[in-house]
Amino acid sequence: LIKGMMAAMRSVFFTLALLILIIYVFGIAFTQLCSDAQCGNMFSGVLASMHLLLLNGALMDSLIDVIEPLQKEGIFFLLVFYLFLLLAALTIMNMLIGVICEVVSAVAATERESMTLADVREKIQELMSQGDADGDNMISKAEFLDLLANKKAAAILHGVGVDVVSLVDFANYIF
């Protein structure tokens, strides 16, 4: 999980940067739209507007506190806020979750593959130690065929996905 989170940092950074950009643009828009309206006290400046949009829009905390004053100002104000909700809360936040899930699952698959490879390597080394009769760390064709005749060795090879019967047939090509 930690490796997945570290791998996702770049994508998460750019997704959050996009969220901040959207909040900034809509913060400017609401500051300008509400400058002469009653909602001007909520959107008094760009930073105050960004803070309000982050908490009440992107994180969807107390939406009614923003929707009611905007609804009193007119449908246009409400539609602009709904557009912000659609972009920030639904699209960007779900994209952020999707990016994190995808990267974590990819890292998990890589870890699973490396564990399987380590297991196969260990089993092959065990076979090599059993099949190397003369102790030279090399297997001759005769040692290889003797190894394949061993039921335990055949079971180990079959366990890691090797077709032992076909391997016997290809012994002449291997050596």
Side-chain angles (χ1 to χ4, degrees):
L1 181 66
I2 301 297
K3 285 184 180 181
M5 295 299 286
M6 293 305 291
M9 287 298 247
R10 182 172 182 236
S11 299
V12 169
F13 170 75
F14 285 115
T15 304
L16 290 176
L18 181 61
L19 178 64
I20 290 170
L21 179 69
I22 289 172
I23 290 173
Y24 178 70
V25 168
F26 277 90
I28 292 171
F30 275 109
T31 302
Q32 292 296 317
L33 285 172
C34 293
S35 63
D36 297 330
Q38 288 180 347
C39 60
N41 59 351
M42 285 180 13
F43 299 102
S44 57
V46 175
L47 287 178
S49 298
M50 287 177 65
H51 182 258
L52 184 89
L53 289 172
L54 173 67
L55 292 180
N56 296 9
L59 300 178
M60 295 186 135
D61 184 35
S62 304
L63 280 175
I64 197 71
D65 294 343
V66 178
I67 290 176
E68 281 183 349
L70 291 177
Q71 190 174 11
K72 290 177 185 173
E73 291 299 325
I75 192 74
F76 179 73
F77 289 87
L78 197 57
L79 289 176
V80 172
F81 186 70
Y82 286 156
L83 178 65
F84 172 75
L85 283 179
L86 179 71
L87 288 175
L90 299 177
T91 306
I92 301 296
M93 296 302 247
N94 284 330
M95 184 175 21
L96 179 65
I97 291 169
V99 163
I100 291 173
C101 289
E102 181 65 31
V103 170
V104 168
S105 69
V107 168
T110 303
E111 289 293 318
R112 232 182 345 266
E113 184 179 326
S114 68
M115 287 175 38
T116 303
L117 182 63
D119 186 45
V120 168
R121 181 175 289 130
E122 179 183 319
K123 288 181 179 181
I124 295 295
Q125 286 176 346
E126 180 184 335
L127 282 176
M128 292 289 286
S129 66
Q130 288 177 0
D132 190 15
D134 56 3
D136 64 350
N137 286 334
M138 297 180 77
I139 292 189
S140 65
K141 183 177 180 180
E143 290 172 335
F144 181 71
L145 293 174
D146 288 341
L147 185 66
L148 293 180
N150 183 349
K151 289 188 182 212
K152 183 180 178 187
I156 290 174
L157 287 171
H158 183 69
V160 297
V162 175
D163 184 11
V164 179
V165 176
S166 296
L167 193 58
V168 171
D169 293 339
F170 285 110
N172 290 331
Y173 294 110
I174 295 173
F175 292 97

